[in-house]
Amino acid sequence: MPRISVLIVDDSAVVRQVLSEILREDPGIEVLGAASDPIFARRRMNLRWPDVMIVDVEMPRMDGITFLRRIMAERPTPVVICSSLTKKGAETTMQALSAGAVEVIGKPQLGVKGFLQEGASELIGAVKAAARANLRRVRPFAAESTVPKGPRTEAVRVAAVEPRPGTARRVVAIGASTGGTQALEVILARLPHSSPGLVIVEHMPEKFTAAFAGRLNTLSEIEVKEAENNDPVLPGRALIAPGGRHLLLRRRGAEYFVEVANGPRVNRHRPSVDVLFRSAAKAAGADALGIILTGMGDDGAAGLAEMRNAGASTIAQDERSCVVFGMPKEAIRRGGAGQVRSLETLAGGIMEFAGGS
């Protein structure tokens, strides 16, 4: 099997060295080179075009966002963004994801070498996920979702459905990874104020989820926020798991709320989709809907099966609309998916669930 060729573009010599050393440890990856800025990178690419690029967003002569947009216009290529764990870095990363980047890795301003070495498995996983990405499913969703907050056309917005009288409050748990940022934009931008409460895990580094939730909030009629411990789960609200923390659904009487918790990684992830889904199975049972979206690996597959066994409705995103079909494919294989639906129909599926029996 051919190795994945990677080009690193970062103005930090330390970052270039550490990333190169980590990637060369994996026999399935070939490091083509490391460039200090996009101008040097473009010269290398004239000699051989990489399968995947790791790109910093803040560089001299040309910033990473401009470089990314030019590459996606010329020859779409999977790009992993390597961004600083700062507010500015997080905001810029949201622009990169909208421009077509498929994965994000973070780096602190201090102690970069040790931080990246500790996250070696995540880096290698991000590169391998990016290499498998279906870029035809990335760009249209990012463009489609740039809708201002407020009323939208009926072609985009899903009609509100009145819940059936006498039913318990319902809750939706969603898990996603590679390609999930664009997929969540598509879903949440179509939901009306009357949607059920949503709890969401997207595999994303610490510090970036607040900016991600803020972006989704500007694109959606519902409220979207980064979850805080004991936040109530309410109709018309979506709670995003903070990077680096697990998110669990809890129930107190007739009310749902979330627990934001530390803990070991599960399936190599924190937050983990399995942790969320298992808590939803226990707290909500048949009053829950579980949805597993695009992503590499198997996080969420076991949890979705537990939700289905507890009486919950469950949906896996179909292969055609996925950026990476790994997580939904594994959930389907294990029998956790009651339905398989395209991304474009998932908002409608949520509202069908809200008004169902």
Side-chain angles (χ1 to χ4, degrees), residues 9 35-44 60-62 67 70:
V9 190
S36 59
D37 67 35
I39 307 301
F40 287 127
R42 194 63 186 81
R43 293 172 186 169
R44 287 181 176 269
R61 298 209 287 176
M62 182 187 296
F67 180 54
R70 290 186 181 182

Side-chain angles (χ1 to χ4, degrees), residues 28 47 59 71 75 128 145 165 171 223 226 230-231 272 280 300 335:
L47 301 175
M59 292 180 288
I71 293 304
R75 183 173 169 178
K128 291 183 175 180
S145 301
V171 63
E223 177 195 8
E226 184 182 55
N230 293 317
D231 270 346
S272 163

Side-chain angles (χ1 to χ4, degrees), residues 94-115:
M94 294 306 107
Q95 297 177 34
L97 289 168
S98 293
V102 295
E103 282 279 6
V104 179
I105 56 175
K107 58 179 180 181
Q109 291 180 297
L110 300 173
V112 173
K113 184 173 182 178
F115 179 85

Side-chain angles (χ1 to χ4, degrees), residues 113-328:
K113 184 173 182 178
F115 179 85
L116 290 173
Q117 288 172 337
E118 288 178 8
S121 62
E122 288 188 28
L123 169 65
I124 290 170
V127 168
K128 291 183 175 180
R132 295 177 58 183
N134 180 357
L135 294 186
R136 289 175 298 178
R137 305 309 307 170
V138 174
R139 299 174 71 199
F141 296 158
E144 176 185 338
S145 301
T146 53
V147 196
K149 190 169 184 176
R152 277 176 291 281
T153 65
E154 289 303 315
V156 175
R157 184 181 172 192
V158 173
V161 176
E162 289 298 323
R164 190 172 62 85
T167 58
R169 177 177 294 168
R170 298 190 150 198
V171 63
V172 180
I174 302 177
S177 189
T178 308
T181 53
Q182 294 92 346
L184 287 167
E185 285 188 12
V186 172
I187 294 169
L188 299 191
R190 297 181 177 194
L191 291 177
H193 289 295
S194 59
S195 76
L198 299 98
V199 284
I200 299 169
V201 164
E202 161 68 30
H203 293 157
M204 185 174 281
E206 189 177 356
K207 306 292 186 183
F208 295 155
T209 42
F212 178 51
R215 172 177 169 77
L216 290 175
N217 190 56
T218 65
L219 298 173
S220 309
E221 290 188 6
I222 65 172
E223 177 195 8
V224 185
K225 71 182 292 286
E226 184 182 55
E228 298 177 80
N229 201 42
N230 293 317
D231 270 346
V233 179
L234 303 171
R237 167 187 266 190
L239 299 173
I240 308 285
R245 308 283 296 280
H246 289 305
L247 183 70
L248 298 93
L249 181 69
R250 301 299 192 197
R251 186 167 187 166
R252 185 186 298 114
E255 303 298 323
Y256 294 110
F257 65 99
V258 295
E259 178 185 349
V260 176
N262 290 314
R265 294 177 184 272
V266 176
N267 300 323
R268 304 175 304 281
H269 295 288
R270 188 177 58 235
S272 163
V273 180
D274 264 335
V275 170
L276 173 62
F277 283 175
R278 285 169 174 153
S279 70
K282 183 176 180 180
D287 290 324
L289 167 64
I291 301 176
I292 192 162
L293 300 177
T294 173
M296 183 173 172
D298 63 357
D299 188 28
L304 196 72
E306 287 189 26
M307 289 187 69
R308 190 176 187 188
N309 290 338
S313 301
T314 56
I315 302 174
Q317 186 180 349
D318 72 351
E319 183 174 10
R320 181 195 65 81
S321 64
C322 278
V323 173
V324 178
F325 189 50
M327 286 165 48

